[in-house]
Amino acid sequence: MKVSYNWLKEFIDLPLNPEETAEKLTLIGLEVEELEEYGSSLDGVIVGEVLEVREHPNADRLQVCEVNLGATQTQIVCGAKNVAAGQKVPVATVGSILPIKLDDGSNLKIKKAKLRGEVSEGMICAEDELGLGTDHSGIMVLEGNPKVGAPISEIFELYQDTIIDIAITPNRPDATCHLGVARDLAAALNSELKKPKIPSGKTVHNSDDITIKIENAEKCHRYVGKMVKGVEIKESPRWLQNKLKAIGVRPVNNVVDVTNFVMYELGQPLHAFDYSTIRGKEIIVKYFEKEIDFETLDHVNRKCSPGTLFICDGEGPVAIAGVMGGVDSEVSDDTTDILIESAYFDPGSIRKTAKEQTLQTDASYRFERGIDPNLQAIAAERAAQLIAEIAGGTISGETIDIHPTKTKTNELSLRKSYVNRLLGTDFDIDTICKILDGLELREVSKNEDTITYEIPTFRPDLEREVDLIEEVGRLFDYNKIPSPGHGIFVSSEPINEWEKLNQKVRETAQQLGLREIYSNSLISEKDAALYGDLDEMIPALNPLNKDNSTLRPSLLHGFMKSASYNFNRKASGVRFFELGHVFNKNEKGSYYEGIKEEVHVLFGLAGLKHKESWSKEAEPYSVFDLKSLVNAFFTKIELADHIKSKAADDTTLEYFWGDVKVGSLFLPSDELKKAYDFEQETFVAELSVSAIAEALKVIPGNTFQSVPKFPAFEFDFAVIVPQEVTAGELMDVIKDKAGDQLQDIDIFDVFEGDSIGEGNKSLAFRLQFLDRNKTLNIKQVEPIIQRIVKSLEKDFSAKLRG
């Protein structure tokens, strides 16, 4: 939220400059993200007189002007169509700085330049270029007869300010206004808080002018209406426009500007209705059981779901409660009588509506955090007071206040001993009271050790004793609390086997040369549809936005998005892994019925393995790079001997532990890569860490064996099989029939050709046998080979190749 330094000084005598104020705000928990200078003294901008205007010889849209600056005469190139001889205009001379932000964040400094070959010494300015308005249709022509050469600051009342941008946490709705921020500053600085003097009217439930009803009190706890008649709609005075523009709010007219001013001053959103447009002279707050089409002030026709709270008149909706008014009820130049709305709406209801409509307004930002439920009448009176001052009119003596749901104040007791134990201080009870005094907590009772406060309704975050202790710490300043002379050693709880496995998976992937990525577990429906049937996926009940509406069924989206991001920034290749949760529908469910949640790890390679250099050509990643990486991973986690692989199709290899599928290695389709806007060769393996954990529970760990005394015996043979037979299928049979003496198996040759027949292929295997008790020879190994060959002939019609 943007806060004006000048505005804060109206509430508190600030002894600090803007930088010191920002530092103090951060120390007391209102983190300042940025300081920005607003406005300018316009040093070097003076009144000039245009003596002559001629066409630019080299540019159709530019003109060359001779300008009298009083002491000198100069030539300025100007692009405005309305420049003419005889005009008095504001001229930024060489060296002056204008309040125009450049891309690097600095302001525009005027320099001597050549524009299409013509010298230009200065700049004839438009209204917006001086920060004096928003008009950029042409140069600013000065009215009256100002003295040529006079500083522009003598003609206009310039406004300068420092804007403090604060990151407001959701638990501090009181800090969404200048009064709330000033209250915290006053408490921290032990200064007096100066509030505006606000008159109060007679409270009634109805009046002759308007009837107000609340049909759904659970969503609208309070509604206050205040009439002001006979107003004149016009431009706001300069002081009001300056304050709003400084914090980034566009002035509209005097009535609307007042409602915005009070919201930023006190924290209560307001809405001004044109009284003449309220049909039936009644206001009804309610929701409908059906979908409603409604056009808001921004001229967008919105579909509002059943349950959306509306402000209605006698015939239908005129505003979406707490979010935005309707186009038919806005204040216009013809408005003479207005009804000021000041209400308290249920935060959850407003939050849901704002997210559904993807429409966060200044009002909804405050309502969904929970405003002060006792502020409505005060804010309405304040707005009426200001409107009467600047727009004329007569304030009604009656304030209509419908308040069906009242908020009870909370009482909290604070123990001196607990404060000192948590903060490491030695405060007495009077010191604690003095620290908290500026927060406007009402003291109920006090003794030497305990004080009880009534918590004001503008501080809903103060719910427990520790919340008050936090207030003591931040207002006193944590930096002033002395460091303890000794501490208590607390041993951390040992991590469990599941956490150890996750840690090992992550460390193993890093050791294999993969870089970790993190992606959101919520993806859009559009992206989720790329990975299967949306009916089998888990939608979020209350998504933050359309891009985060579905729980991911796979980690693939995060990898593809990261790969695309890197390739679009000239990366030649990526080598990533991610460890995270995936979600799918399942009758039984993992933790919740109907939702299967697992932890997966994804390995992904894409693009070039090696870039082109003087010594070698560029080499892309291949499927074998990823396959060897996955095999190395299984070896590292001591599962390699228990995992079997099986080709599901030409692009997918599946891994199994017994009958349990552990994961798969696959090639994303060209259509999928096109959806992420890249074409590089891509290879992905996604494994279930949850399934791996179950396997490791029953599989014994590796044990040490001494180096064998006897040498291994190697035997090579080749078989001819039909091309559709996979090497993996042959190897599974070889391992099964070879027995315990088989130590290793490799494929060292693959051959296809006419000599072995069309549709066949030859695979050559190298088997390594070992007996720890003796040296093996061909006589002992040959029966094993014969057994293997017979099984291959029977199962796959394999022929031994000579």
Side-chain angles (χ1 to χ4, degrees), residues 280-319:
K281 303 311 173 190
E282 64 176 341
I283 291 289
I284 305 168
V285 185
K286 66 178 182 178
Y287 61 78
F288 297 89
E289 299 293 345
K290 61 180 181 179
E291 186 177 79
I292 299 293
D293 288 334
F294 184 74
E295 186 177 359
T296 45
L297 281 172
D298 54 0
H299 298 282
V300 174
N301 192 44
R302 302 180 182 276
K303 291 187 178 296
C304 303
S305 64
T308 300
L309 192 67
F310 282 97
I311 309 301
C312 305
D313 62 10
E315 296 183 20
V318 293

Side-chain angles (χ1 to χ4, degrees), residues 8-58:
L8 285 178
K9 290 196 294 183
E10 296 180 13
F11 291 101
I12 177 177
D13 294 326
L14 261 177
L16 309 176
N17 61 35
E19 290 75 19
E20 291 169 337
T21 301
E23 182 179 355
K24 190 64 177 178
L25 285 170
T26 299
L27 284 174
I28 61 176
L30 300 177
E31 182 184 357
V32 174
E33 294 185 320
E34 184 181 11
L35 279 181
E36 180 183 354
E37 296 297 325
Y38 175 82
S40 170
S41 59
L42 298 181
D43 292 337
V45 182
I46 61 176
V47 176
E49 181 181 13
V50 181
L51 302 176
E52 178 188 354
V53 178
R54 62 181 186 274
E55 293 184 358
H56 195 294
N58 304 315

